[in-house]
Amino acid sequence: MTDKTFRYELHIRLHDTDAAGRLFFAHLFRHAQDALEAFMEHIGYPIDAMLRDGEILLPLTHAEADYRRPMRHGDRIRVEVRVEDLRRRSFAIGYRFLNEAGEEMATARTIHVLVTDEIHVGESLPEALRAGLAGHVMAARTQPTE
Amino acid sequence: MTDKTFRYELHIRLHDTDAAGRLFFAHLFRHAQDALEAFMEHIGYPIDAMLRDGEILLPLTHAEADYRRPMRHGDRIRVEVRVEDLRRRSFAIGYRFLNEAGEEMATARTIHVLVTDEIHVGESLPEALRAGLAGHVMAARTQPTE
Amino acid sequence: MTDKTFRYELHIRLHDTDAAGRLFFAHLFRHAQDALEAFMEHIGYPIDAMLRDGEILLPLTHAEADYRRPMRHGDRIRVEVRVEDLRRRSFAIGYRFLNEAGEEMATARTIHVLVTDEIHVGESLPEALRAGLAGHVMAARTQPTE
Amino acid sequence: MTDKTFRYELHIRLHDTDAAGRLFFAHLFRHAQDALEAFMEHIGYPIDAMLRDGEILLPLTHAEADYRRPMRHGDRIRVEVRVEDLRRRSFAIGYRFLNEAGEEMATARTIHVLVTDEIHVGESLPEALRAGLAGHVMAARTQPTE
């Protein structure tokens, strides 16, 4: 773990769980989004401002998660956010969800692609965004989802 | 029950429940919104078209619910939707959530107010909307929430 | 505002908003639950432990909210949590949602009742819980929801 | 499309969308779960009964989705559910989300693994469940996510 890793903390709340007593899987993605928004603000590209200004659109085109250990109501979870891939007009964000003992509870990955409108992909990411992301690029861990 | 009552059906799904094994209270409001959207489409005022056209804005200013019996994963619920109050520039929608035996599991109420922008209330509801709502006005049941 | 008021902070995230560009009303209750869980932990009665031990059950029987100003993606919101009513076997929690300028964006209220099982109400709240709540009782503000 | 395909319908509601005006990505998984519950009931293995009986546990270990076209408030979506993989102690469910014109808006995939408790995988799926799933096995589409 180097300082390239951005960290975000959360609690598993009652509404995160289901009648099976554990985190309902789709809610992991809500927490990933929360971590992503905090990360994007950290690198100077808050998503709310991007959407309001409408200059660049970065829709999510892929999302995936692997669930390794059950997360339960009251658990304190630390999310590690990294840039796993950075291309000319797209990037991939990786998320590791760890419990207080440092055990990996789940991992997730989202892919975002620059578009100029809803049909066409854009030319290339703005330089300032690329620079912000580049500071957090890490070799992906040993490809757990492929 | 007269034919003024609009009906909507739903299942309680795993993600509606929490670790206590019952419907998480806030999700009742999501289902109320689903029932409201079906109702508004039924009277010829689909909410999605209203929002897209932007002609009238009807933000929700109040929401409340009373929870009488626990709803569990797998329950089939019927929602009865009625107009409980219809004023010049606002209206109240009432929702009764019944199980298959007809028992009242919960009730809810939402209030919607016409605005012309985000600060000013509007003059009066469009006549066609008023007419649609008027067909479903019923005396409120014996005031369960006050 | 005295020190009886417990405070909780949150951001309005993309998934909190809807196509109308503002907080979807039901999500306010999810944030109220987050604030309540933080409050209950603060007074020594974490809800996750209560549910796991199963000693006392405190189901929510009523929830309501008033929406005064639109909350938008990126807004930082402070929630003030207080005990608005404390009875032998029930209590009411009040929530004020304020923006960074201190303006009241919304208020909410939840009522919780002690039950021994799913049908019967219990005798009285445990003394330690009562004491914890009592430290945060405040006269309700001038009846914002009626 | 043969009759091996199970179909499920849904509307995109206001709470499914976000301030960008389109389906918030994580909500696709909530709809996938709704479709899965309807499918499992169709083949005689309702998930709520499975969880209540506790005989077999089938936690979700992987979820993924690809987003091809934006879904908006008011869209009517048809979900096609198929068994994409069926092994001794696990299976994969595939979901295609189509609009009214039959265009593919998104696809998703979930993997479920038999466990006997929270640590150990089980021996093999019950025969009746295997038979129910086997009736809906289809060659996966041309592997869009790998």
Side-chain angles (χ1 to χ4, degrees), chain C residues 43 61 64 69 108 129:
Chain C
I43 65 168
T61 57
E64 65 180 70
R69 287 181 181 82
L129 172 57

Side-chain angles (χ1 to χ4, degrees), chain C residues 23-115:
Chain C
L23 176 77
F24 179 70
F25 80 100
H27 297 328
L28 189 80
F29 293 106
R30 196 186 76 235
H31 291 299
Q33 172 75 14
D34 288 355
L36 176 63
E37 294 199 18
F39 170 71
M40 293 295 282
E41 187 173 344
H42 173 71
I43 65 168
Y45 259 80
I47 294 176
D48 53 299
M50 269 204 302
L51 282 173
R52 262 196 284 266
D53 299 347
E55 278 177 39
I56 65 167
L57 294 170
L58 284 164
L60 186 153
T61 57
H62 178 78
E64 65 180 70
D66 287 272
Y67 304 85
R68 305 187 195 289
R69 287 181 181 82
M71 284 174 265
R72 294 213 160 71
H73 186 198
D75 286 357
R76 291 161 188 272
I77 302 293
R78 187 174 76 245
V79 190
E80 296 181 351
V81 180
R82 304 174 215 175
V83 180
E84 291 192 347
D85 196 12
L86 178 55
R87 304 194 177 192
R88 191 153 71 98
R89 49 176 70 125
S90 74
F91 56 92
I93 303 287
Y95 312 81
R96 292 179 73 215
F97 295 80
L98 309 171
N99 68 4
E100 290 186 284
E103 293 173 303
E104 192 177 78
M105 313 304 276
T107 55
R109 184 179 168 96
T110 56
I111 298 177
H112 307 260
V113 175
L114 179 72
V115 296

Side-chain angles (χ1 to χ4, degrees), chain A residues 71-84:
Chain A
M71 285 174 264
R72 295 212 158 71
H73 186 198
D75 286 358
R76 290 162 189 270
I77 302 294
R78 187 174 75 245
V79 190
E80 295 181 352
V81 179
R82 301 173 218 176
V83 180
E84 292 192 347

Side-chain angles (χ1 to χ4, degrees), chain B residues 20 22 24-26 29-30 33 51 59-67 70 72 110 118 145, chain C residues 20 22 24-26 29-30 33 51 59-67 70 72 110 118 145:
Chain B
R22 41 177 77 190
F24 179 70
F25 80 100
F29 293 106
R30 195 185 78 235
Q33 171 75 14
L51 283 173
L60 187 153
T61 57
H62 178 77
E64 65 180 69
D66 287 273
Y67 304 85
R72 294 212 160 72
T110 55
E118 271 160 21
T145 57
Chain C
R22 40 176 79 188
F24 179 70
F25 80 100
F29 293 106
R30 196 186 76 235
Q33 172 75 14
L51 282 173
L60 186 153
T61 57
H62 178 78
E64 65 180 70
D66 287 272
Y67 304 85
R72 294 213 160 71
T110 56
E118 272 161 22
T145 57

